[in-house]
Amino acid sequence: MSSAWDYSPAPESTDMVDIRGDYGLFIDGTWSEPASGEYMKTINPATEEVLAAIPVADETDIDRAVAAASKAFKKWSKLPGSERARFIFRIARVIQERSRELAVLETMNGGKPIKESRDLDVPLAAAHFFYHAGWADKLEYAFPARKVEPLGVAAQIIPWNFPLLMLAWKIAPALATGNTVVLKPAETTPLTALTFASICEQVGLPPGVVNIVTGAGATGAMLVRHPDVQKVAFTGSTEVGKEIQRAIAGSGKRLTLELGGKAANIVFDDAPLDQAIEGIVNGIFFNQGHVCCAGSRLLVQEGVFDALIAKLKHRLGTLRLGDPLDKNTDIGAINSRQQLDKIKELVGAGIDEGAELYQADCPLPERGFWFPPTVFTGVSQSHRIAREEIFGPVLSVLTFRTPEEAVEKANNTPFGLSAGVWTEKGSRILWMADRLKAGVVWANTFNRFDPASPFGGYKESGFGREGGRHGLEPYVRLG
Ligand code: NDP
C-alpha cells in the first residue's frame, strides 16, 4: 500500500499535438522520402501504441543532407552575427509559443512526466537558443584578439533521454558560431526533432542550415564518417562514443563527446537531511534516472545512515508512478523495452552480488515499460551496480566515515561527469569540489542546468564542454 495521497487523474490534453502518420527527412528546407523507401515505427513507451512511421536515412540521404549543409554554409557563415542572432532568437520565441505542443510530444514519445518536459526540457531548450542568440554577434568578445571562424558542417548525434534539450545544446551554439548542421535524433524519440524542423521552416531559416535525418545507429555512423563533415558532436553511451572516436581518428574532424556517468551524491552528517532527501530523489528519479549526470551512487556519512535511509524509504512511498501525461506523475515510463531489459539485468546483478534491494510498493501499469523506484543498500565498490551506468530509477547506497574516504570512493569510477555535496560547511564544499574529479559539482542541490554554465566530463564521460563561453570553442577555429 503506497502512502501517496490519492489524486484524481489530471491528464494533459493532447489536442494541440498533430502527429502525422508518417514523416519525411528534412533536407535543404524540404521534406522528402528516404531513398531506401524504408520506415521504422516510433511508439509511446507508456502505452506501446505506434505514433508514427519515421524514415530511415541511408548513404544517399546523408550525402544529400551534407551537400545541402555545405552549400548553405557558404552564405550562413558570411551573414553578420546580428542576422544569425535574429533567426536564433526567433527559434527561441517559437519554442516558447509552441511549448505546450512540444512538451506533450516529448512526453508521448519519450515517456517522461509532463511536469518535467513542461517545466524543464522545453523552457531550457528555449533558454539555450536565447542565450546563443546573444553570442552570435559578440564572438570577438568571447575570444578577444583572435580571429574567429566557423568550421563548416556539424554532424550532431543525440540520445533519447532529453531529445529536444540535447538538440538545443547542439544546434544553438553551432548556428551562433556560423556553422550549419545535420542532426540525427535517437531512434526511439525522433518526434520533437522533426517538429523542430517545422519550426525552422516557420522562422524562415535559410534552406540547408539545419537538416534533420532520422534512422538507427547505422545512419549516425554514416553521418559522422562523411568526408565533408568538419565537426562531430555526440551525446550518448561511452561505447558508441569510443566507436565514433575510432571511426574519425586521423580525419581532422573536431569532436566533442558527452557520455555516461556514475555520479556520487555525497551526504555529510551535518547536512539538512530533509533537503538532502529531495536532492537525492531529484538526483536519481528525475526522468526515471535516464540522466547522464544522475546521482546514481549515494555516499552517506555513517552517523546519519539509518536516519537518512528511513526518510528516503518513506519518501519513495510518496512518489507517484504512472501515466506520464498526468500532471501529478513523478515517475514516467522507461524509454524502451531494450532499456528496461538493461535495468532489470543490472538490478538482477545487484541482488546476485549480495546488495539489499528496497523498492517502492507501487503498482505498475500493465502496458508499456515500467520500473519502480529502487534503492540498494549494502553496496560495495566492486559491485556492478556501483560501477556501471544503469540509466534507470535505481540508487546504489554506500557509506563513508571521513571526507578523504568520500573523495576516494567518489573518484573510484571510470566516469567523471558530475557530483553532489551536501553539508552546511562552505569550506568543506570548496575542499570537496577541489578534489572531486567531475566536470560539474553541485552543492546542496542537484541536476541544475543553465545555458551560461559549461557542462561536460572527464575520463570515460567524454570531453569538450556544452554551454557558456566554453561551449562555443568546439565550433570555431581561432586565428
Ligand atoms: P547510444 O549511444 O547507442 O545512442 C545515442 C545516439 O547515437 C543515438 O542517436 C543512436 O542512434 C546513435 N548511434 C548508435 N550507434 C551509432 C554509431 N555507431 N555511430 C553514430 N551514432 C550512433 O545509446 P543507447 O540508446 O543504445 O543507450 C545505451 C546506453 O547508453 C544507456 O543504457 C545508457 O547507459 C547510455 N546512454 C547515455 C546517455 C547520456 O546522455 N550520456 C544517453 C543515452 C544513453 P539510435 O538511437 O538510432 O541507435
Side-chain angles (χ1 to χ4, degrees):
M1 185 28 209
S2 151
S3 57
W5 287 32
D6 284 335
Y7 280 68
S8 297
E12 177 70 66
S13 165
T14 57
D15 288 353
M16 78 296 286
V17 172
D18 181 20
I19 301 178
R20 311 208 302 251
D22 54 44
Y23 283 79
L25 301 168
F26 185 69
I27 297 176
D28 208 12
T30 58
W31 297 90
S32 55
E33 290 179 10
S36 65
E38 198 188 323
Y39 287 79
M40 59 193 186
K41 292 188 171 70
T42 188
I43 65 166
N44 179 340
T47 60
E48 298 177 61
E49 168 204 2
V50 173
L51 296 174
I54 304 298
V56 178
D58 70 6
E59 206 95 50
T60 315
D61 305 305
I62 297 294
D63 269 348
R64 267 197 325 117
V66 175
S70 298
K71 193 171 110 215
F73 177 73
K74 294 193 180 81
K75 280 194 182 159
W76 179 254
S77 59
K78 298 285 176 319
L79 278 187
S82 56
E83 287 294 309
R84 288 201 308 275
R86 286 171 57 182
F87 286 108
I88 302 167
F89 189 81
R90 271 187 235 155
I91 291 173
R93 287 302 309 268
V94 175
I95 291 177
Q96 286 187 321
E97 280 163 25
R98 295 175 64 174
S99 59
R100 188 171 273 240
E101 171 195 354
L102 288 164
V104 171
L105 204 50
E106 198 76 307
T107 284
M108 289 175 78
N109 202 193
K112 64 173 66 198
I114 186 72
K115 70 176 174 194
E116 292 178 6
S117 39
R118 182 195 61 196
D119 298 346
L120 189 126
D121 295 61
V122 177
L124 263 183
H128 269 267
F129 282 100
F130 278 125
Y131 175 76
H132 286 92
W135 272 127
D137 63 349
K138 299 176 197 69
L139 296 176
E140 65 268 38
Y141 301 104
F143 306 102
R146 308 290 296 270
K147 185 161 178 253
V148 187
E149 287 178 343
L151 301 172
V153 177
Q156 306 187 317
I157 314 265
I158 55 170
W160 41 261
N161 52 343
F162 293 92
L164 184 71
L165 184 58
M166 289 303 104
L167 174 149
W169 281 28
K170 299 277 178 287
I171 293 185
L175 297 193
T177 46
N179 300 277
T180 54
V181 166
V182 181
L183 177 133
K184 191 199 91 67
E187 200 173 326
T188 56
T189 53
L191 292 184
T192 44
L194 291 164
T195 305
F196 181 82
S198 80
I199 291 177
C200 294
E201 287 182 304
Q202 192 179 340
V203 305
L205 194 70
V209 171
V210 168
N211 304 274
I212 309 282
V213 291
T214 48
T219 304
M222 289 173 213
L223 175 59
V224 298
R225 278 168 209 217
H226 196 287
D228 296 334
V229 159
Q230 280 81 32
K231 153 86 192 151
V232 175
F234 172 80
T235 297
S237 62
T238 300
E239 193 191 344
V240 173
K242 286 180 181 174
E243 206 175 311
I244 291 176
Q245 193 169 17
R246 276 194 296 270
I248 67 170
S251 67
K253 290 174 188 171
R254 299 268 291 271
L255 177 65
T256 38
L257 295 175
E258 203 266 272
L259 309 174
K262 193 75 191 175
N265 202 1
I266 306 162
V267 181
F268 283 93
D269 58 9
D270 63 345
L273 287 195
D274 290 318
Q275 195 182 325
I277 291 291
E278 293 312 305
I280 294 163
V281 166
N282 173 34
I284 187 63
F285 300 124
F286 167 62
N287 200 26
Q288 296 75 246
H290 301 329
V291 183
C292 48
C293 50
S296 51
R297 282 185 302 151
L298 176 63
L299 303 191
V300 186
Q301 197 157 20
E302 269 183 15
V304 286
F305 177 81
D306 290 338
L308 186 107
I309 295 299
K311 281 178 186 283
L312 184 59
K313 287 182 175 173
H314 174 75
R315 183 70 177 87
L316 244 58
T318 66
L319 292 173
R320 290 177 294 266
L321 178 148
D323 181 5
L325 279 170
D326 193 305
K327 290 168 213 163
N328 293 321
T329 291
D330 298 306
I331 312 277
I334 299 302
N335 184 263
S336 65
R337 185 178 297 283
Q338 192 190 10
Q339 189 59 29
L340 180 59
D341 290 345
K342 181 182 167 189
I343 295 168
K344 285 181 175 166
E345 198 258 317
L346 276 159
V347 167
I351 296 167
D352 291 347
E353 287 181 318
E356 196 180 315
L357 174 91
Y358 178 84
Q359 287 182 319
D361 182 15
C362 55
L364 303 183
E366 276 174 18
R367 286 184 68 81
F369 315 128
W370 306 94
F371 201 81
T374 298
V375 174
F376 274 112
T377 49
V379 178
S380 74
Q381 294 188 79
S382 60
H383 286 168
R384 282 183 69 197
I385 52 169
R387 309 203 62 77
E388 294 180 33
E389 185 176 45
I390 301 175
F391 226 61
V394 182
L395 180 67
S396 300
V397 187
L398 299 97
T399 56
F400 67 92
R401 291 182 185 169
T402 62
E404 289 78 7
E405 189 186 345
V407 169
E408 185 103 350
K409 286 187 167 164
N411 290 341
N412 181 9
T413 168
F415 298 108
L417 193 53
S418 63
V421 180
W422 297 82
T423 172
E424 68 166 20
K425 293 189 185 61
S427 58
R428 181 179 278 163
I429 290 169
L430 297 175
W431 189 91
M432 292 292 290
D434 254 0
R435 287 159 181 80
L436 289 169
K437 294 201 174 70
V440 180
V441 179
W442 286 293
N444 293 326
T445 186
F446 210 89
N447 274 341
R448 291 272 176 177
F449 306 97
D450 189 294
S453 174
F455 183 89
Y458 285 77
K459 302 195 283 185
E460 298 220 346
S461 294
F463 48 79
R465 295 290 178 266
E466 295 183 291
R469 193 191 65 80
H470 300 74
L472 301 171
E473 275 174 35
Y475 287 95
V476 294
R477 191 175 294 114
L478 296 176

